[in-house]
Amino acid sequence: MRQETKCIQAGYEPKNGEPRMIPIIQSTTFKYDSSEDMGKLFDLEASGYFYTRLQNPTNDMVAAKIAALEGGSAAMLTSSGQAATFYAVFNLAGAGDHVVSSSTIYGGSFNLFNVTMRRMGIDFTFVDPDCSDEELEAAFKPNTKAVFGETLANPALNVLDIERFANAAHAHGVPLIVDNTFATPINCRPFEWGADIVTHSTTKYMDGHDATVGGCIVDSGKFDWMAHADKFPGLCTPDESYHGITYAEKFGREGAYITKATAQLMRDLGAIPSPMSCYMLNLGLESLAVRVERHCSNAQKIAEFLEAHEKITWVNYPGLPGSRYYERAQKYMPKGSCGVISFGIKGGRTAAESFMKHLKVAIIATHVADAHTCVLHPASSTHRQMTDEELIAGGVGPDLVRLSVGIENVEDILEDLANALNQI
């Protein structure tokens, strides 16, 4: 099936007389005829459901749809994108380990890595995604366990050279984890360029309607954990909490990573989405391909309008031929990048705040990447915990305005922007 069809049909195939839509299994527990049957589930000797904190049929059907869209072998839904990012890394790295990360990542992810996970004993080295090969190579250490980056950085909109970062990671025997939230699998499938694990904040384009917070981790099923067994003892040595199961041996490349994340991390940390939230996420996924196309066409016209406006000092959008990332975006995302644009206004922070106050169609909101047009000043909101040096390294200057273009009529959005710019 092609992507548009997968959005509708992947993940759930009803049998004769069964519900056409994914059923909502809003139950915490599941009944079994004998303790022996349930014991097999606890020992990971059989597949099934016994407690929703670990797995739920509704959740798994939606996860399977996202795995199909990304071309992965398995997926796990989480309660938020932040939880997905944390689980994706923590499933591989623990106290005393090291991770290489792009510096131009979402501010929440940066703080998760640079503050919270450092307190857990995990070291991080942040590199400019456009660094030289020599600088990238120098970031690795003997205890490096993964490389992390974003397909499209939030909000800097750097386009990650996925193939180059994947090659560097693999040369050191570690996987590349890519946050594909902004591009979505409609515009980019990182596995096709060498990435090993993909994460999403499903709160964004996948849900698309400000309705449900969620996240997802997808495994490509291609990384050979046993070939680097010394680096990944959690996957390649016995887990005594499951009677000595070795995930990489029992579940193979295609199942080891997600099984461990589910059976171990979700069991212990419990950041699950509710079945009802997953049902609503599926409704968003069904229209994902249609909405992403509209987001991108609207954003392209608006980026061109802003680029030509006298009160705009700069515009960053990978779809503009003048963008430093245009050629790279054409390689990885030839159908379009996303609906998010970053730009600067003459007059800096003061002018940016005045501009935002005069908007009528676009709303000031922390959110991004949904059906509504939203605007935000990251330096004073999502990235306000970062120092000036960290802001610059992350590609977020004090004048940067992040515009998330919705799917309204583009002429209404253009008129709204023009009116607000006329007021400053």
Side-chain angles (χ1 to χ4, degrees):
M1 292 187 292
R2 292 167 177 80
Q3 293 294 77
E4 295 85 350
T5 307
K6 289 178 185 176
C7 285
I8 305 295
Q9 297 196 11
Y12 172 60
E13 187 175 340
K15 297 181 177 61
N16 187 47
E18 291 186 342
R20 177 63 193 89
M21 286 297 294
I22 286 176
I24 306 168
I25 311 299
Q26 191 68 41
S27 179
T28 60
T29 49
F30 301 81
K31 179 258 185 186
Y32 285 88
D33 292 335
S34 70
S35 59
E36 288 82 5
D37 290 339
M38 183 169 284
K40 292 177 182 178
L41 299 177
F42 275 89
D43 289 343
L44 302 182
E45 294 294 335
S47 61
Y49 302 93
F50 56 89
Y51 196 55
T52 285
R53 187 176 79 235
L54 278 90
Q55 287 180 286
N56 175 281
T58 303
N59 300 17
D60 283 358
M61 292 173 197
V62 181
K65 175 175 286 189
I66 297 175
L69 285 167
E70 284 289 5
S73 63
M76 180 182 78
L77 298 185
T78 62
S79 59
S80 68
Q82 280 290 88
T85 299
F86 172 68
Y87 279 18
V89 175
F90 194 59
N91 204 32
L92 302 173
D97 291 333
H98 172 258
V99 175
V100 176
S101 174
S102 168
S103 60
T104 57
I105 56 175
Y106 168 56
S109 299
F110 181 87
N111 283 317
L112 171 65
F113 293 164
N114 197 45
V115 179
T116 302
M117 295 187 77
R118 282 193 192 277
R119 292 174 59 194
M120 300 169 68
I122 303 173
D123 186 27
F124 288 83
T125 296
F126 296 94
V127 297
D128 187 323
D130 298 316
C131 66
S132 67
D133 290 341
E134 293 74 19
E135 290 171 323
L136 180 56
E137 177 67 22
F140 287 86
K141 299 180 180 181
N143 60 338
T144 299
K145 298 300 175 71
V147 179
F148 182 90
E150 295 177 353
T151 309
L152 285 160
N154 176 13
L157 294 179
N158 304 64
V159 178
L160 185 72
D161 191 341
I162 301 172
E163 200 167 28
R164 183 167 78 102
F165 272 71
N167 289 338
H170 296 162
H172 289 269
V174 300
L176 172 63
I177 304 171
V178 174
D179 183 331
N180 198 33
T181 297
F182 270 16
T184 82
I186 302 303
N187 285 343
C188 181
R189 301 215 302 177
F191 294 153
E192 295 176 354
W193 300 100
D196 303 286
I197 298 155
V198 160
T199 64
H200 285 276
S201 170
T202 61
T203 318
K204 309 304 189 295
Y205 286 123
M206 285 188 167
D207 166 63
H209 300 89
D210 291 322
T212 58
V213 175
C216 186
I217 309 170
V218 187
D219 181 19
S220 69
K222 296 178 181 178
F223 192 86
D224 191 346
W225 305 107
M226 291 302 294
H228 310 283
D230 58 321
K231 284 185 173 289
F232 305 104
L235 285 159
C236 302
T237 59
D239 181 353
E240 296 307 323
S241 68
Y242 283 107
H243 304 294
I245 281 177
T246 299
Y247 296 101
E249 290 180 351
K250 185 171 181 62
F251 301 103
R253 296 185 191 183
E254 294 185 348
Y257 179 86
I258 291 296
T259 300
K260 178 179 180 293
T262 302
Q264 192 182 84
L265 298 187
M266 194 63 85
R267 174 197 64 189
D268 295 343
L269 300 174
I272 60 165
S274 73
M276 184 66 201
S277 292
C278 294
Y279 175 84
M280 295 177 71
L281 168 59
N282 183 63
L283 294 179
L285 288 169
E286 290 194 342
S287 63
L288 179 64
V290 179
R291 288 185 290 103
V292 165
E293 183 178 357
R294 178 64 170 262
H295 281 293
C296 291
S297 65
N298 278 2
Q300 183 68 33
K301 294 174 184 177
I302 290 168
E304 292 169 359
F305 162 79
L306 291 170
E307 188 177 45
H309 200 285
E310 60 180 8
K311 292 184 180 179
I312 301 299
T313 55
W314 57 270
V315 180
N316 185 12
Y317 185 67
L320 293 174
S323 167
R324 62 182 295 193
Y325 296 108
Y326 179 77
E327 293 300 328
R328 194 179 296 171
Q330 291 300 302
K331 172 182 176 179
Y332 292 116
M333 295 165 281
K335 294 182 180 179
S337 55
C338 67
V340 181
I341 305 168
S342 59
F343 60 94
I345 299 178
K346 288 181 180 178
R349 185 186 296 257
T350 302
E353 292 176 349
S354 177
F355 161 76
M356 290 166 63
K357 288 178 182 178
H358 288 97
L359 292 169
K360 303 298 183 184
V361 174
I363 60 173
I364 299 173
T366 308
H367 206 229
V368 66
D370 66 68
H372 305 84
T373 296
C374 308
V375 66
L376 191 71
H377 186 241
S380 59
S381 54
T382 56
H383 290 61
R384 69 180 298 126
Q385 293 88 358
M386 298 170 68
T387 65
D388 287 346
E389 291 77 15
E390 290 170 343
L391 284 170
I392 293 171
V396 184
D399 65 335
L400 185 149
V401 174
R402 184 184 73 183
L403 179 69
S404 177
V405 180
I407 58 175
E408 302 95 342
N409 186 293
V410 70
E411 296 301 327
D412 290 331
I413 305 172
L414 287 168
E415 289 174 9
D416 190 38
L417 296 174
N419 178 67
L421 287 168
N422 288 337
Q423 303 300 313
I424 60 173

